[in-house]
Protein backbone atom coordinates (compact mmCIF):
# COMPACT_ATOMS: atom_id res chain seq x y z
CA UNK A 1 0.00 0.00 0.00
CA UNK A 2 1.48 3.44 -0.91
CA UNK A 3 2.44 6.31 1.25
CA UNK A 4 -0.29 6.91 3.80
CA UNK A 5 0.08 3.36 5.04
CA UNK A 6 2.50 4.15 7.83
CA UNK A 7 0.32 6.65 9.76
CA UNK A 8 -2.87 4.61 9.26
CA UNK A 9 -2.53 2.62 12.51
CA UNK A 10 -1.82 5.83 14.41
CA UNK A 11 -4.68 7.93 13.09
CA UNK A 12 -7.23 5.15 12.54
CA UNK A 13 -8.29 5.21 16.19
CA UNK A 14 -7.69 8.91 16.77
CA UNK A 15 -10.94 10.55 17.82
CA UNK A 16 -9.45 14.03 18.14
CA UNK A 17 -11.42 16.87 16.64
CA UNK A 18 -8.23 18.21 15.00
CA UNK A 19 -5.45 16.02 13.61
CA UNK A 20 -2.28 17.37 12.05
CA UNK A 21 0.09 14.90 10.51
CA UNK A 22 3.38 15.26 8.65
CA UNK A 23 2.95 14.82 4.91
CA UNK A 24 6.68 14.65 4.18
CA UNK A 25 7.16 10.94 3.47
CA UNK A 26 7.00 8.92 0.26
CA UNK A 27 7.07 11.56 -2.45
CA UNK A 28 8.27 10.97 -5.99
CA UNK A 29 10.28 13.60 -7.83
CA UNK A 30 10.95 14.27 -11.50
CA UNK A 31 13.32 17.01 -12.66
CA UNK A 32 12.05 18.47 -15.93
CA UNK A 33 8.57 18.68 -17.40
CA UNK A 34 6.45 15.54 -17.72
CA UNK A 35 3.42 15.07 -19.95
CA UNK A 36 0.12 15.09 -18.02
CA UNK A 37 1.92 14.76 -14.68
CA UNK A 38 -1.09 16.38 -12.99
CA UNK A 39 -3.30 13.42 -14.00
CA UNK A 40 -3.64 10.59 -11.43
CA UNK A 41 -3.02 7.93 -14.08
CA UNK A 42 0.30 9.42 -15.17
CA UNK A 43 3.08 6.86 -14.66
CA UNK A 44 5.56 7.85 -11.96
CA UNK A 45 7.06 4.50 -11.00
CA UNK A 46 10.45 5.50 -12.41
CA UNK A 47 10.52 8.83 -10.57
CA UNK A 48 12.96 9.30 -7.73
CA UNK A 49 11.66 8.51 -4.24
CA UNK A 50 12.42 11.06 -1.54
CA UNK A 51 11.31 12.67 1.69
CA UNK A 52 10.56 16.37 2.10
CA UNK A 53 11.92 18.94 2.70
CA UNK A 54 13.90 18.81 -0.55
CA UNK A 55 16.05 21.31 -2.44
CA UNK A 56 16.88 20.06 -5.90
CA UNK A 57 19.25 22.95 -6.69
CA UNK A 58 21.83 22.17 -3.98
CA UNK A 59 22.34 18.80 -5.68
CA UNK A 60 23.95 20.62 -8.61
CA UNK A 61 25.56 20.40 -10.99
CA UNK A 62 27.68 23.44 -10.26
CA UNK A 63 28.24 25.30 -13.50
CA UNK A 64 29.45 28.77 -14.41
CA UNK A 65 26.50 29.12 -16.79
CA UNK A 66 24.25 29.44 -13.75
CA UNK A 67 24.01 32.75 -11.95
CA UNK A 68 27.12 33.13 -9.79
CA UNK A 69 25.21 35.30 -7.30
CA UNK A 70 22.92 32.32 -6.75
CA UNK A 71 25.74 29.88 -6.07
CA UNK A 72 26.20 28.72 -9.64
CA UNK A 73 23.46 26.17 -9.00
CA UNK A 74 20.43 25.20 -11.15
CA UNK A 75 17.60 26.54 -9.03
CA UNK A 76 15.41 27.33 -12.05
CA UNK A 77 13.50 25.04 -14.41
CA UNK A 78 10.47 22.80 -14.13
CA UNK A 79 10.08 19.90 -11.73
CA UNK A 80 7.23 17.74 -10.44
CA UNK A 81 6.46 16.15 -7.09
CA UNK A 82 3.78 13.46 -6.70
CA UNK A 83 2.48 11.49 -3.75
CA UNK A 84 -0.01 8.60 -3.57
CA UNK A 85 -1.91 8.03 -0.34
CA UNK A 86 -5.02 6.48 1.22
CA UNK A 87 -7.46 7.98 3.74
CA UNK A 88 -9.54 5.78 6.10
CA UNK A 89 -13.29 5.78 5.42
CA UNK A 90 -14.21 7.09 8.86
CA UNK A 91 -12.57 10.41 7.94
CA UNK A 92 -15.19 11.03 5.27
CA UNK A 93 -17.03 13.52 7.49
CA UNK A 94 -13.88 15.54 8.23
CA UNK A 95 -12.69 18.71 6.53
CA UNK A 96 -9.31 17.87 5.02
CA UNK A 97 -6.58 20.26 3.93
CA UNK A 98 -3.05 19.81 2.63
CA UNK A 99 -0.53 22.46 3.63
CA UNK A 100 2.89 23.46 2.33
CA UNK A 101 5.17 25.66 4.43
CA UNK A 102 7.22 26.64 1.38
CA UNK A 103 7.36 25.79 -2.33
CA UNK A 104 10.06 27.44 -4.46
CA UNK A 105 8.37 28.70 -6.57
CA UNK A 106 5.43 29.35 -8.95
CA UNK A 107 3.72 26.33 -7.42
CA UNK A 108 0.68 24.71 -9.05
CA UNK A 109 -1.15 21.95 -7.18
CA UNK A 110 -3.62 19.24 -8.28
CA UNK A 111 -5.42 16.58 -6.24
CA UNK A 112 -6.85 13.60 -8.12
CA UNK A 113 -6.64 15.66 -11.30
CA UNK A 114 -8.48 18.69 -9.87
CA UNK A 115 -6.55 21.96 -9.98
CA UNK A 116 -6.34 23.60 -6.54
CA UNK A 117 -4.43 26.80 -7.21
CA UNK A 118 -1.16 28.61 -7.86
CA UNK A 119 1.09 30.57 -5.52
CA UNK A 120 3.98 32.43 -7.17
CA UNK A 121 5.83 33.47 -3.99
CA UNK A 122 8.04 30.68 -2.73
CA UNK A 123 8.62 32.03 0.77
CA UNK A 124 5.12 31.99 2.22
CA UNK A 125 3.14 28.86 3.07
CA UNK A 126 -0.33 27.98 1.84
CA UNK A 127 -3.03 25.36 2.29
CA UNK A 128 -5.76 23.93 0.08
CA UNK A 129 -9.02 22.36 1.22
CA UNK A 130 -9.25 19.01 -0.58
CA UNK A 131 -12.30 17.57 1.20
CA UNK A 132 -14.57 17.32 -1.84
CA UNK A 133 -11.92 15.65 -4.00
CA UNK A 134 -10.68 12.97 -1.59
CA UNK A 135 -11.40 9.26 -2.05
CA UNK A 136 -11.78 7.17 1.08
CA UNK A 137 -10.88 3.59 1.90
CA UNK A 138 -7.94 1.29 1.37
CA UNK A 139 -8.91 0.54 -2.23
CA UNK A 140 -9.17 4.14 -3.49
CA UNK A 141 -5.86 5.90 -3.76
CA UNK A 142 -5.42 9.66 -3.90
CA UNK A 143 -2.75 11.39 -5.94
CA UNK A 144 -1.44 14.88 -5.29
CA UNK A 145 0.74 16.52 -7.94
CA UNK A 146 2.83 19.67 -7.49
CA UNK A 147 4.50 21.52 -10.35
CA UNK A 148 7.21 24.07 -9.62
CA UNK A 149 8.66 26.37 -12.25
CA UNK A 150 11.17 28.84 -10.77
CA UNK A 151 12.65 31.09 -13.42
CA UNK A 152 16.19 32.11 -14.13
CA UNK A 153 17.04 35.68 -13.11
CA UNK A 154 14.38 35.58 -10.40
CA UNK A 155 16.56 36.08 -7.34
CA UNK A 156 19.52 38.15 -6.17
CA UNK A 157 20.76 35.34 -3.87
CA UNK A 158 20.54 31.57 -3.62
CA UNK A 159 16.84 30.78 -3.14
CA UNK A 160 16.93 27.00 -3.38
CA UNK A 161 14.26 25.07 -5.26
CA UNK A 162 11.56 22.51 -4.64
CA UNK A 163 9.28 21.67 -1.74
CA UNK A 164 11.97 22.90 0.62
CA UNK A 165 9.93 23.28 3.81
CA UNK A 166 7.59 20.91 5.64
CA UNK A 167 4.21 19.72 4.39
CA UNK A 168 1.16 18.66 6.42
CA UNK A 169 -2.25 17.03 6.14
CA UNK A 170 -4.96 18.38 8.47
CA UNK A 171 -8.29 16.87 9.55
CA UNK A 172 -10.88 19.03 11.31
CA UNK A 173 -14.59 19.16 12.03
CA UNK A 174 -16.94 21.54 10.21
CA UNK A 175 -16.96 23.95 13.16
CA UNK A 176 -13.33 24.95 13.60
CA UNK A 177 -10.75 27.62 14.23
CA UNK A 178 -9.54 29.07 10.93
CA UNK A 179 -5.98 28.47 9.74
CA UNK A 180 -3.69 30.75 11.77
CA UNK A 181 -6.93 31.96 13.28
CA UNK A 182 -5.92 33.10 16.76
CA UNK A 183 -4.25 36.31 17.91
CA UNK A 184 -3.12 36.75 21.51
CA UNK A 185 -2.36 40.31 22.56
CA UNK A 186 -0.98 41.52 25.89
CA UNK A 187 -3.18 44.54 26.65
CA UNK A 188 -1.37 45.43 29.87
CA UNK A 189 1.50 43.91 31.79
CA UNK A 190 1.99 44.66 35.48
CA UNK A 191 3.98 42.91 38.17
CA UNK A 192 0.79 41.59 39.77
CA UNK A 193 -1.19 40.65 36.68
CA UNK A 194 -1.42 40.73 32.90
CA UNK A 195 -4.52 41.41 30.86
CA UNK A 196 -4.67 39.64 27.52
CA UNK A 197 -7.20 39.56 24.71
CA UNK A 198 -7.58 36.53 22.51
CA UNK A 199 -9.22 36.89 19.10
CA UNK A 200 -10.36 33.64 17.52
CA UNK A 201 -11.58 33.36 13.95
CA UNK A 202 -14.20 30.62 13.83
CA UNK A 203 -15.36 28.94 10.61
CA UNK A 204 -18.65 27.14 10.10
CA UNK A 205 -18.44 24.83 7.08
CA UNK A 206 -21.83 23.27 7.76
CA UNK A 207 -25.19 24.17 6.20
CA UNK A 208 -26.80 25.31 9.46
CA UNK A 209 -26.12 28.08 11.95
CA UNK A 210 -23.88 26.96 14.81
CA UNK A 211 -24.45 28.03 18.42
CA UNK A 212 -21.32 27.13 20.34
CA UNK A 213 -19.22 27.84 23.40
CA UNK A 214 -15.64 29.03 23.13
CA UNK A 215 -13.50 27.75 25.99
CA UNK A 216 -9.95 29.01 26.47
CA UNK A 217 -7.46 27.74 29.01
CA UNK A 218 -4.12 29.46 29.58
CA UNK A 219 -1.17 27.40 30.78
CA UNK A 220 1.95 28.94 32.33
CA UNK A 221 5.51 27.94 31.41
CA UNK A 222 5.38 25.29 34.15
CA UNK A 223 2.20 23.86 32.52
CA UNK A 224 -0.05 25.02 35.37
CA UNK A 225 -3.53 26.33 34.46
CA UNK A 226 -3.55 30.06 35.21
CA UNK A 227 -6.65 31.42 33.42
CA UNK A 228 -9.92 30.01 32.12
CA UNK A 229 -12.79 31.58 30.16
CA UNK A 230 -15.97 30.21 28.52
CA UNK A 231 -18.14 32.46 26.36
CA UNK A 232 -20.98 31.81 23.90
CA UNK A 233 -20.72 32.45 20.16
CA UNK A 234 -22.75 31.86 17.02
CA UNK A 235 -21.57 31.40 13.45
CA UNK A 236 -23.83 31.49 10.41
CA UNK A 237 -23.79 28.67 7.89
CA UNK A 238 -20.70 28.76 5.62
CA UNK A 239 -19.55 31.95 7.30
CA UNK A 240 -16.68 33.08 9.53
CA UNK A 241 -16.75 35.24 12.64
CA UNK A 242 -14.16 36.72 14.99
CA UNK A 243 -14.72 36.02 18.69
CA UNK A 244 -12.87 38.01 21.37
CA UNK A 245 -12.17 36.92 24.93
CA UNK A 246 -10.44 38.82 27.74
CA UNK A 247 -8.45 37.01 30.41
CA UNK A 248 -6.34 37.97 33.42
CA UNK A 249 -3.13 36.16 34.31
CA UNK A 250 -1.93 36.66 37.88
CA UNK A 251 1.77 36.94 38.71
CA UNK A 252 2.80 36.94 35.05
CA UNK A 253 6.15 35.56 33.98
CA UNK A 254 7.70 37.73 31.30
CA UNK A 255 9.18 36.63 28.00
CA UNK A 256 12.62 38.20 27.68
CA UNK A 257 15.80 37.54 25.74
CA UNK A 258 17.39 36.30 28.98
CA UNK A 259 14.36 34.32 30.14
CA UNK A 260 12.23 33.31 27.13
CA UNK A 261 9.20 32.02 29.04
CA UNK A 262 6.28 30.78 26.94
CA UNK A 263 2.60 30.41 27.74
CA UNK A 264 0.07 28.30 25.86
CA UNK A 265 -3.57 29.07 25.07
CA UNK A 266 -5.78 26.06 24.39
CA UNK A 267 -9.02 27.06 22.68
CA UNK A 268 -11.85 24.54 22.41
CA UNK A 269 -15.07 24.96 20.43
CA UNK A 270 -18.00 23.12 21.98
CA UNK A 271 -21.36 22.43 20.34
CA UNK A 272 -24.11 20.59 22.20
CA UNK A 273 -21.59 19.40 24.75
CA UNK A 274 -19.25 17.96 22.13
CA UNK A 275 -15.85 19.39 21.27
CA UNK A 276 -15.64 20.29 17.59
CA UNK A 277 -12.13 21.74 17.67
CA UNK A 278 -9.10 22.16 19.89
CA UNK A 279 -6.52 24.72 18.84
CA UNK A 280 -3.27 25.56 20.64
CA UNK A 281 -1.42 28.88 20.50
CA UNK A 282 1.99 29.51 22.01
CA UNK A 283 2.69 33.09 23.10
CA UNK A 284 4.75 35.20 25.47
CA UNK A 285 3.95 38.01 27.88
CA UNK A 286 6.19 40.93 27.03
CA UNK A 287 6.01 44.67 26.42
CA UNK A 288 7.89 46.34 23.57
CA UNK A 289 8.43 50.03 22.88
CA UNK A 290 10.50 52.08 20.44
CA UNK A 291 11.32 55.74 21.01
CA UNK A 292 13.91 58.13 19.64
CA UNK A 293 15.49 58.74 23.04
CA UNK A 294 16.14 55.21 24.29
CA UNK A 295 15.79 53.12 21.16
CA UNK A 296 14.20 49.74 21.91
CA UNK A 297 12.67 48.88 25.28
CA UNK A 298 11.79 45.32 26.23
CA UNK A 299 9.64 45.08 29.35
CA UNK A 300 10.66 48.65 30.16
CA UNK A 301 14.39 47.90 29.89
CA UNK A 302 16.61 49.43 27.22
CA UNK A 303 17.96 46.68 24.99
CA UNK A 304 20.40 47.65 22.22
CA UNK A 305 19.69 45.59 19.11
CA UNK A 306 22.81 43.62 18.20
CA UNK A 307 21.54 42.12 15.01
CA UNK A 308 22.44 40.35 11.79
CA UNK A 309 20.72 40.01 8.44
CA UNK A 310 20.20 36.27 8.02
CA UNK A 311 19.13 34.62 4.75
CA UNK A 312 16.96 31.52 4.86
CA UNK A 313 19.37 28.97 3.37
CA UNK A 314 21.68 26.75 5.41
CA UNK A 315 24.89 27.27 3.46
CA UNK A 316 26.24 24.04 1.93
CA UNK A 317 23.12 22.19 3.11
CA UNK A 318 21.01 24.30 0.76
CA UNK A 319 17.56 25.70 1.39
CA UNK A 320 15.82 22.50 2.53
CA UNK A 321 14.70 23.12 6.10
CA UNK A 322 16.58 21.21 8.78
CA UNK A 323 15.65 21.82 12.40
CA UNK A 324 19.00 21.05 14.00
CA UNK A 325 20.95 22.99 11.35
CA UNK A 326 18.69 26.01 11.88
CA UNK A 327 19.07 25.71 15.65
CA UNK A 328 22.86 25.46 15.32
CA UNK A 329 22.89 28.52 13.05
CA UNK A 330 21.09 30.50 15.75
CA UNK A 331 23.38 29.13 18.45
CA UNK A 332 26.37 30.42 16.49
CA UNK A 333 24.68 33.80 16.20
CA UNK A 334 24.17 33.95 19.97
CA UNK A 335 27.79 32.94 20.57
CA UNK A 336 28.76 35.97 18.46
CA UNK A 337 26.72 38.23 20.73
CA UNK A 338 23.70 38.50 18.46
CA UNK A 339 20.35 39.15 20.13
CA UNK A 340 18.31 39.98 17.00
CA UNK A 341 17.96 38.83 13.39
CA UNK A 342 16.42 40.31 10.29
CA UNK A 343 14.98 37.65 7.97
CA UNK A 344 16.55 39.10 4.87
CA UNK A 345 14.71 39.50 2.66
CA UNK A 346 11.66 37.30 2.94
CA UNK A 347 9.45 35.41 5.41
CA UNK A 348 11.37 32.75 7.38
CA UNK A 349 10.40 29.20 8.22
CA UNK A 350 7.84 28.70 10.97
CA UNK A 351 10.34 26.65 12.93
CA UNK A 352 12.97 29.40 12.89
CA UNK A 353 10.58 31.69 14.74
CA UNK A 354 9.71 28.89 17.17
CA UNK A 355 13.42 28.56 17.91
CA UNK A 356 13.80 32.32 18.37
CA UNK A 357 10.89 32.25 20.82
CA UNK A 358 12.60 29.53 22.86
CA UNK A 359 16.15 30.92 22.56
CA UNK A 360 15.35 34.56 23.31
CA UNK A 361 16.27 36.09 19.96
CA UNK A 362 14.43 39.18 18.68
CA UNK A 363 13.23 39.14 15.07
CA UNK A 364 12.39 41.57 12.31
CA UNK A 365 10.27 39.60 9.82
CA UNK A 366 10.72 40.94 6.31
CA UNK A 367 8.16 40.47 3.56
CA UNK A 368 9.64 41.56 0.22
CA UNK A 369 12.87 42.43 -1.55
CA UNK A 370 11.06 44.31 -4.31
CA UNK A 371 7.69 45.80 -5.17
CA UNK A 372 6.55 46.71 -8.69
CA UNK A 373 9.95 47.87 -9.96
CA UNK A 374 12.18 44.94 -10.87
CA UNK A 375 15.65 44.29 -9.49
CA UNK A 376 16.02 41.13 -11.56
CA UNK A 377 14.17 40.28 -14.73
CA UNK A 378 11.91 37.55 -13.34
CA UNK A 379 11.66 38.54 -9.69
CA UNK A 380 8.63 39.00 -7.45
CA UNK A 381 7.89 42.31 -9.20
CA UNK A 382 6.10 40.24 -11.88
CA UNK A 383 3.56 39.11 -9.29
CA UNK A 384 3.53 41.97 -6.80
CA UNK A 385 0.32 43.68 -7.95
CA UNK A 386 -1.75 40.50 -7.80
CA UNK A 387 -0.09 38.73 -4.88
CA UNK A 388 1.32 41.22 -2.39
CA UNK A 389 -1.77 41.66 -0.22
CA UNK A 390 -2.46 37.95 0.16
CA UNK A 391 1.20 37.17 0.82
CA UNK A 392 1.65 39.96 3.36
CA UNK A 393 -1.54 39.15 5.25
CA UNK A 394 -0.67 35.45 5.30
CA UNK A 395 2.79 36.24 6.67
CA UNK A 396 1.53 38.41 9.52
CA UNK A 397 -1.32 36.09 10.45
CA UNK A 398 1.13 33.19 10.61
CA UNK A 399 3.76 35.00 12.71
CA UNK A 400 1.92 37.50 14.91
CA UNK A 401 1.77 35.30 18.05
CA UNK A 402 5.55 34.94 18.28
CA UNK A 403 6.91 37.05 21.16
CA UNK A 404 10.29 37.14 19.42
CA UNK A 405 8.85 39.17 16.53
CA UNK A 406 9.14 42.89 17.25
CA UNK A 407 8.62 44.56 13.85
CA UNK A 408 7.36 43.95 10.31
CA UNK A 409 9.50 45.02 7.35
CA UNK A 410 7.54 45.76 4.18
CA UNK A 411 10.58 45.96 1.91
CA UNK A 412 14.32 45.99 1.41
CA UNK A 413 16.07 48.60 -0.74
CA UNK A 414 13.05 48.80 -3.02
CA UNK A 415 13.61 50.78 -6.20
CA UNK A 416 10.45 52.81 -5.68
CA UNK A 417 12.55 54.93 -3.33
CA UNK A 418 13.31 57.01 -6.44
CA UNK A 419 9.66 57.30 -7.46
CA UNK A 420 7.94 60.00 -5.40
CA UNK A 421 4.49 59.20 -6.74
CA UNK A 422 4.48 55.39 -6.68
CA UNK A 423 6.73 54.62 -3.70
CA UNK A 424 4.88 56.42 -0.89
CA UNK A 425 1.55 55.17 -2.21
CA UNK A 426 2.61 51.51 -2.09
CA UNK A 427 4.33 51.98 1.27
CA UNK A 428 1.18 53.41 2.84
CA UNK A 429 -0.89 50.53 1.50
CA UNK A 430 1.52 47.92 2.87
CA UNK A 431 1.78 49.78 6.16
CA UNK A 432 -2.01 49.78 6.52
CA UNK A 433 -2.22 46.05 5.82
CA UNK A 434 0.31 45.38 8.57
CA UNK A 435 -1.60 47.48 11.09
CA UNK A 436 -4.94 45.93 10.11
CA UNK A 437 -3.60 42.44 10.79
CA UNK A 438 -1.48 43.43 13.80
CA UNK A 439 -1.84 46.85 15.46
CA UNK A 440 0.68 45.91 18.18
CA UNK A 441 3.95 46.01 16.24
CA UNK A 442 5.61 48.80 14.24
CA UNK A 443 6.36 48.66 10.53
CA UNK A 444 9.71 49.35 8.92
CA UNK A 445 11.71 49.08 5.71
CA UNK A 446 15.35 49.17 4.70
CA UNK A 447 16.22 52.37 2.78
CA UNK A 448 19.49 52.76 0.90
CA UNK A 449 18.85 55.58 -1.58
CA UNK A 450 19.61 58.92 0.02
CA UNK A 451 18.03 61.39 0.14
CA UNK A 452 15.24 60.33 -2.24
CA UNK A 453 13.32 58.00 0.09
CA UNK A 454 13.39 60.67 2.78
CA UNK A 455 12.59 63.66 0.60
CA UNK A 456 9.67 62.09 -1.30
CA UNK A 457 7.79 60.88 1.78
CA UNK A 458 8.36 57.15 1.39
CA UNK A 459 10.33 56.79 4.64
CA UNK A 460 7.64 58.71 6.51
CA UNK A 461 5.10 56.02 5.58
CA UNK A 462 6.56 53.49 8.05
CA UNK A 463 6.87 53.60 11.84
CA UNK A 464 10.60 52.87 12.11
CA UNK A 465 13.04 54.18 9.51
CA UNK A 466 15.65 51.57 8.67
CA UNK A 467 18.76 53.00 7.02
CA UNK A 468 21.06 50.76 5.01
CA UNK A 469 24.75 51.72 4.99
CA UNK A 470 26.05 55.32 4.87
CA UNK A 471 26.20 55.59 8.69
CA UNK A 472 27.70 59.06 8.36
CA UNK A 473 24.31 60.26 7.12
CA UNK A 474 22.31 59.10 10.16
CA UNK A 475 22.96 62.27 12.15
CA UNK A 476 21.87 64.38 9.21
CA UNK A 477 18.60 62.44 8.88
CA UNK A 478 17.85 62.79 12.59
CA UNK A 479 18.58 66.51 12.57
CA UNK A 480 16.07 66.97 9.74
CA UNK A 481 13.50 64.65 11.34
CA UNK A 482 13.99 64.72 15.13
CA UNK A 483 10.70 62.92 15.75
CA UNK A 484 11.67 59.89 13.67
CA UNK A 485 12.88 56.60 15.14
CA UNK A 486 15.91 55.61 13.06
CA UNK A 487 18.11 52.52 13.19
CA UNK A 488 20.71 50.77 11.03
CA UNK A 489 18.77 48.06 9.22
CA UNK A 490 21.77 46.83 7.26
CA UNK A 491 25.32 48.07 7.46
CA UNK A 492 28.96 47.00 7.26
CA UNK A 493 30.53 44.68 9.79
CA UNK A 494 33.65 46.85 9.89
CA UNK A 495 33.81 50.50 10.94
CA UNK A 496 34.34 53.12 8.25
CA UNK A 497 36.11 56.44 8.58
CA UNK A 498 34.04 59.50 7.60
CA UNK A 499 35.03 60.97 4.25
Amino acid sequence: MPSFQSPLPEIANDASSRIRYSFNDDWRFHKGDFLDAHAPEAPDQSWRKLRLPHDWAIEGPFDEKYNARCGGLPFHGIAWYRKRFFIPEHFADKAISIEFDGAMNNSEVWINGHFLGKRPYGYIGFAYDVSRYIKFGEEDENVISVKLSPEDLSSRWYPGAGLYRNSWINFTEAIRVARNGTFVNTDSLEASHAKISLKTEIENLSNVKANIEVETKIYAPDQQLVAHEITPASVLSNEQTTHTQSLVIKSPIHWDINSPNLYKAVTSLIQNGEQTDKYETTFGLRAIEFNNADGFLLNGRKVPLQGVCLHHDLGPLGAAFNLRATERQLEIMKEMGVNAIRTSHNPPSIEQLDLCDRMGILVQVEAFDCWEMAKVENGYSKYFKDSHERDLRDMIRRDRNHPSVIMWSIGNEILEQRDGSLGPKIAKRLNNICHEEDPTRPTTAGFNIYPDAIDNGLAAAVDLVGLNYKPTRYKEVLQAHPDWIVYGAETCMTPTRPS
Side-chain angles (χ1 to χ4, degrees):
M1 186 181 295
S3 66
F4 215 63
Q5 181 181 16
S6 55
L8 266 174
E10 182 174 332
I11 71 169
N13 298 316
D14 195 330
S16 303
S17 54
R18 177 181 289 265
I19 304 169
R20 180 174 174 83
Y21 201 87
S22 173
F23 208 54
N24 286 342
D25 289 332
D26 302 316
W27 285 82
R28 289 181 180 266
F29 171 73
H30 178 81
K31 183 66 176 4
D33 207 355
F34 194 92
L35 182 64
D36 295 329
H38 67 284
E41 62 273 13
D44 58 15
Q45 292 80 2
S46 64
W47 292 19
R48 175 182 166 191
K49 296 180 181 179
L50 54 76
R51 185 181 190 276
L52 305 181
H54 174 240
D55 174 9
W56 84 62
I58 199 64
E59 300 171 358
F62 298 91
D63 197 305
E64 62 182 15
K65 70 181 180 182
Y66 300 121
N67 189 339
R69 295 181 69 183
C70 298
L73 289 162
F75 73 87
H76 60 273
I78 294 176
W80 286 87
Y81 293 82
R82 281 165 59 93
K83 177 179 171 76
R84 300 174 182 270
F85 60 100
F86 295 86
I87 300 290
E89 291 181 357
H90 67 270
F91 282 91
D93 61 347
K94 292 275 192 179
I96 305 172
S97 65
I98 295 177
E99 185 172 6
F100 297 93
D101 288 346
M104 191 66 70
N105 56 358
N106 293 325
S107 68
E108 298 175 78
V109 184
W110 291 261
I111 184 78
N112 295 333
H114 299 278
F115 182 64
L116 297 175
K118 180 175 182 177
R119 292 296 291 258
Y121 199 32
Y123 292 104
I124 194 67
F126 54 89
Y128 293 115
D129 189 297
V130 298
S131 308
R132 55 180 170 167
Y133 304 124
I134 288 292
K135 302 174 183 177
F136 298 92
E138 297 187 10
E139 303 301 323
D140 287 319
E141 101 178 339
N142 298 278
V143 181
I144 186 168
S145 304
V146 181
K147 179 183 180 181
L148 299 175
S149 53
E151 298 178 87
D152 193 12
L153 302 176
S154 62
S155 178
R156 298 190 303 117
W157 55 81
Y158 178 73
L163 296 177
Y164 71 106
R165 290 178 180 168
N166 289 310
S167 64
W168 310 90
I169 187 166
N170 303 297
F171 302 88
T172 68
E173 303 293 340
I175 313 300
R176 66 184 186 184
V177 176
R179 178 172 177 260
N180 298 324
T182 58
F183 183 24
V184 182
N185 180 45
T186 305
D187 298 323
S188 64
L189 184 58
E190 308 292 341
S192 60
H193 68 281
K195 293 182 180 179
I196 68 169
S197 57
L198 174 63
K199 293 184 178 180
T200 304
E201 294 183 356
I202 305 169
E203 293 179 333
N204 179 5
L205 305 181
S206 74
N207 294 321
V208 295
K209 178 182 177 181
N211 295 312
I212 63 173
E213 290 181 317
V214 181
E215 179 181 37
T216 295
K217 296 180 179 179
I218 305 295
Y219 294 90
D222 62 0
Q223 308 306 314
Q224 295 298 308
L225 180 65
V226 293
H228 184 203
E229 181 78 15
I230 302 178
T231 50
S234 61
V235 194
L236 296 177
S237 167
N238 295 303
E239 294 286 346
Q240 180 173 299
T241 189
T242 299
H243 185 76
T244 301
Q245 293 175 304
S246 297
L247 300 98
V248 174
I249 298 173
K250 296 181 179 179
S251 303
I253 304 171
H254 293 185
W255 184 94
D256 200 283
I257 56 175
N258 300 317
S259 52
N261 298 293
L262 295 171
Y263 284 76
K264 181 171 65 176
V266 180
T267 301
S268 298
L269 307 183
I270 302 168
Q271 184 181 35
N272 299 324
E274 298 289 332
Q275 179 179 279
T276 70
D277 201 3
K278 180 180 179 181
Y279 192 94
E280 297 185 357
T281 306
T282 301
F283 67 99
L285 297 175
R286 55 99 175 109
I288 62 172
E289 179 188 349
F290 293 85
N291 65 58
N292 55 11
D294 300 311
F296 173 65
L297 301 175
L298 177 61
N299 301 320
R301 184 180 86 259
K302 182 177 180 178
V303 177
L305 298 180
Q306 300 166 181
V308 294
C309 297
L310 198 62
H311 282 263
H312 81 289
D313 67 276
L314 296 169
L317 298 181
F321 175 77
N322 181 286
L323 182 62
R324 176 56 191 147
T326 303
E327 182 180 42
R328 180 59 184 143
Q329 190 180 59
L330 294 174
E331 288 173 351
I332 293 171
M333 295 298 104
K334 291 199 71 172
E335 290 169 5
M336 291 168 49
V338 167
N339 66 6
I341 65 170
R342 174 190 183 199
T343 67
S344 50
H345 300 289
N346 45 259
S349 68
I350 297 169
E351 293 85 356
Q352 186 183 58
L353 295 183
D354 289 339
L355 287 168
C356 289
D357 287 346
R358 297 201 299 269
M359 297 171 70
I361 299 175
L362 304 167
V363 185
Q364 174 193 130
V365 175
E366 193 152 75
F368 309 119
D369 185 53
C370 67
W371 297 345
E372 293 183 18
M373 298 176 67
K375 292 182 178 179
V376 287
E377 183 177 333
N378 295 311
Y380 184 68
S381 58
K382 294 176 62 173
Y383 309 102
F384 182 85
K385 284 185 178 180
D386 294 330
S387 298
H388 73 270
E389 181 171 353
R390 176 176 59 178
D391 291 335
L392 183 57
R393 290 188 189 277
D394 282 354
M395 181 192 84
I396 295 174
R397 289 166 62 85
R398 188 197 73 171
D399 298 341
R400 60 189 177 181
N401 288 310
H402 289 278
S404 58
V405 177
I406 59 172
M407 62 179 100
W408 307 114
S409 172
I410 60 174
N412 168 65
E413 300 185 353
I414 46 90
L415 298 184
E416 284 84 350
Q417 291 174 92
R418 295 195 186 279
D419 190 322
S421 59
L422 183 61
K425 185 185 300 182
I426 296 176
K428 289 176 183 177
R429 183 164 70 246
L430 298 177
N431 180 77
N432 290 341
I433 291 171
C434 291
H435 288 315
E436 286 171 12
E437 295 293 344
D438 174 21
T440 72
R441 293 177 178 87
T443 60
T444 188
F447 301 113
N448 67 320
I449 301 178
Y450 302 96
D452 302 46
I454 296 168
D455 292 346
N456 66 25
L458 202 162
V462 295
D463 302 317
L464 310 176
V465 179
L467 300 181
N468 289 13
Y469 307 103
K470 298 185 177 67
T472 56
R473 306 289 295 274
Y474 294 0
K475 184 177 180 180
E476 172 189 323
V477 173
L478 285 169
Q479 287 176 337
H481 302 277
D483 57 329
W484 280 9
I485 302 172
V486 176
Y487 70 100
E490 181 176 332
T491 191
C492 299
M493 295 178 65
T494 54
T496 58
R497 189 168 63 186
S499 57

